[in-house]
Amino acid sequence: MYDCLEKVNIHKAEPIILGIESSCDETAAAVIRGRKILSDEIASSASIQAEFGGVVPEIASRAHTDEIAKVVDRAIQKAGITYQDIDAVAVTYGAGLLGALLVGVSFAKAFAYALNKPLIAVNHIRGHLAAAYLDEPNLETPFVTLLASGGHTAILYAKSEGEFEILGATLDDAAGEAFDKVARVLGLKYPGGPHIERTAKEGKPIIPMPKMLKGGGGYNFSYSGLKTAVINYCHTKQQRGEEVNKADVACSFQAAAVDVLVEKTISAALEKGVKIVTAGGGVAANGYLRESLQQACKARGLKLILPEKRYCTDNAAMIASEGLVQYKLGNFADMTLTAKASIPLAATLETVQSRAAKAKEEN
Ligand code: KG4
Ligand code: ZN
């Protein structure tokens, strides 16, 4: 009988959470105890996907199916725990590639059911935000966070661990998407971000770029104009038979794409009157962004919590970390949980509340 929610203790000091992530091309599993990472395993199909210039959903799903049991097993073994030690299983249920998500969700459901463990549905984006808690276990809300990934770009105000306000977001392409598209135009491999970063190191930011809603647009961004400007610049050069200086293009694009993120994040933090800024998502692994954000925060007396690069790109420790947030709130899923290709930016799934959480509310 699946009756674990009857007896779950959401007040347990340091619950052990198994996190599972399969929303894109990374099959990942991790175990945390409280905010401490005990293990963190990833099997990536990125090198296979690179041959196709992007993620092929069918290939990603197959790779997840091949890897998931092995990756979860490794995570549990390396954490030095037994199955029974696990307090809850947290899994990404959206947003992402539907077929890829389904592998993780189906596995997590079967695993939770077989072991009679609570199941937690995690919004991938909230996972990126929760990576900061692992970097700084004493981190407390409120803070302002910059989220920049392949699918989303936003500035959020974290009122409490469970409650985010969206201050601004991209009006079109995400920052990571722009890095990937510009990389493709420059003949660089997928995923484009790290290749742009490497190429930009050899160049100078001397090519004029569009303004990126710098002063205007509130805390919103627009990346499609920047992307189009780079594409047009390269095409015009090629038509004239002139050589494109890839390093200068990469460097100019990177500066335009990143400067606006840093500027708006700092403005949002100052307006909200918070003392702490955090960042997450694949683009937050960018060295130029990390340095710029570090300097800007220092200049304004803000404390920056910036997860290590590997916890900015997709991983399962961040899913376990958001799982811990939801565990403490008593938000559990049941066996009707299913994957969703798209979900609102900062939404959580509140299907089943544990008895303990309900009792807490009633008191
Ligand atoms: O967060 P993430 O791993 O997956 C999503 O949830 O989308 O982000 C992937 C995105 C890709 O667009 C990739 O090009 C970008 O993050 N990215 C970077 C860097 N590393 C990854 N962008 C700029 N510089 C990097 N070093
Ligand atoms: Zn991600």
Side-chain angles (χ1 to χ4, degrees):
M1 194 169 55
Y2 187 64
D3 61 357
C4 53
L5 292 184
E6 307 286 321
K7 43 194 186 235
V8 60
N9 172 15
I10 64 166
H11 303 295
K12 186 169 178 177
E14 293 196 310
I16 294 181
I17 314 267
L18 168 68
I20 297 176
E21 154 65 33
S22 72
S23 66
C24 193
D25 54 359
E26 249 95 50
T27 319
V31 178
I32 60 170
R33 179 188 285 125
R35 287 178 174 179
K36 187 178 181 334
I37 300 169
L38 300 184
S39 67
D40 172 34
E41 292 295 307
I42 296 187
S44 175
S45 64
S47 59
I48 308 169
Q49 311 284 4
E51 290 172 30
F52 297 90
V55 179
V56 181
E58 183 63 17
I59 294 177
S61 307
R62 282 172 195 231
H64 288 313
T65 312
D66 287 345
E67 293 297 332
I68 193 140
K70 290 182 260 181
V71 169
V72 169
D73 228 37
R74 274 209 306 276
I76 290 170
Q77 272 186 29
K78 289 200 180 166
I81 59 160
T82 66
Y83 289 162
Q84 283 316 321
D85 293 328
I86 295 169
D87 290 300
V89 181
V91 64
T92 306
Y93 79 104
L97 302 169
L98 196 57
L101 287 164
L102 270 173
V103 178
V105 169
S106 308
F107 187 94
K109 278 163 70 173
F111 192 92
Y113 187 83
L115 293 170
N116 199 22
K117 300 288 181 186
L119 181 66
I120 300 170
V122 172
N123 175 337
H124 180 83
I125 293 305
R126 300 211 15 161
H128 275 303
L129 305 177
Y133 293 120
L134 302 175
D135 195 65
E136 173 49 73
N138 297 319
L139 174 60
E140 283 179 16
T141 54
F143 53 80
V144 160
T145 182
L146 167 64
L147 168 81
S149 72
H152 296 86
T153 304
I155 295 175
L156 299 112
Y157 171 57
K159 285 185 205 168
S160 67
E161 285 182 19
E163 209 184 339
F164 286 93
E165 186 187 317
I166 301 167
L167 302 177
T170 180
L171 303 171
D172 37 57
D173 295 354
E177 207 178 338
F179 270 90
D180 293 339
K181 285 181 182 162
V182 167
R184 199 192 260 249
V185 172
L186 295 179
L188 304 172
K189 282 199 171 149
Y190 173 86
H195 294 289
I196 294 266
E197 182 179 350
R198 224 167 290 137
T199 309
K201 289 208 172 97
E202 313 294 323
K204 295 190 198 73
I206 51 174
I207 301 165
M209 292 283 152
K211 279 235 166 347
M212 298 290 303
L213 297 179
K214 244 190 168 171
Y219 297 119
N220 289 331
F221 315 95
S222 165
Y223 276 97
S224 80
L226 177 61
K227 174 195 70 187
T228 310
V230 174
I231 294 172
N232 288 346
Y233 174 85
C234 293
H235 286 173
T236 309
K237 280 266 181 196
Q238 280 156 1
Q239 276 164 2
R240 288 186 191 148
E242 295 169 13
E243 211 179 302
V244 173
N245 184 326
K246 288 187 187 183
D248 285 347
V249 173
C251 188
S252 307
F253 161 77
Q254 178 176 264
V258 166
D259 291 350
V260 68
L261 293 176
V262 173
E263 188 182 299
K264 292 199 180 212
T265 304
I266 300 296
S267 302
L270 297 176
E271 189 193 316
K272 282 287 171 189
V274 298
K275 298 272 176 290
I276 302 166
V277 168
T278 77
V283 181
N286 182 278
Y288 174 70
L289 184 148
R290 297 172 76 86
E291 224 165 84
S292 307
L293 202 53
Q294 195 73 259
Q295 281 175 11
C297 284
K298 201 173 165 201
R300 295 299 193 140
L302 296 162
K303 184 174 174 177
L304 176 65
I305 308 296
L306 194 51
E308 268 175 52
K309 292 184 183 189
R310 66 171 295 177
Y311 296 114
C312 288
T313 49
D314 288 351
N315 65 88
M318 69 182 200
I319 301 304
S321 181
E322 174 60 14
L324 176 61
V325 169
Q326 298 304 322
Y327 182 98
K328 288 191 282 186
L329 292 170
N331 285 336
F332 298 103
D334 62 17
M335 289 299 146
T336 63
L337 177 67
T338 188
K340 286 204 160 56
S342 80
I343 44 177
L345 189 65
T348 54
L349 187 79
E350 294 183 40
T351 43
V352 182
Q353 279 212 319
S354 73
R355 285 198 172 174
K358 275 188 194 149
K360 191 176 145 194
E361 269 169 25
E362 279 158 17
N363 286 335

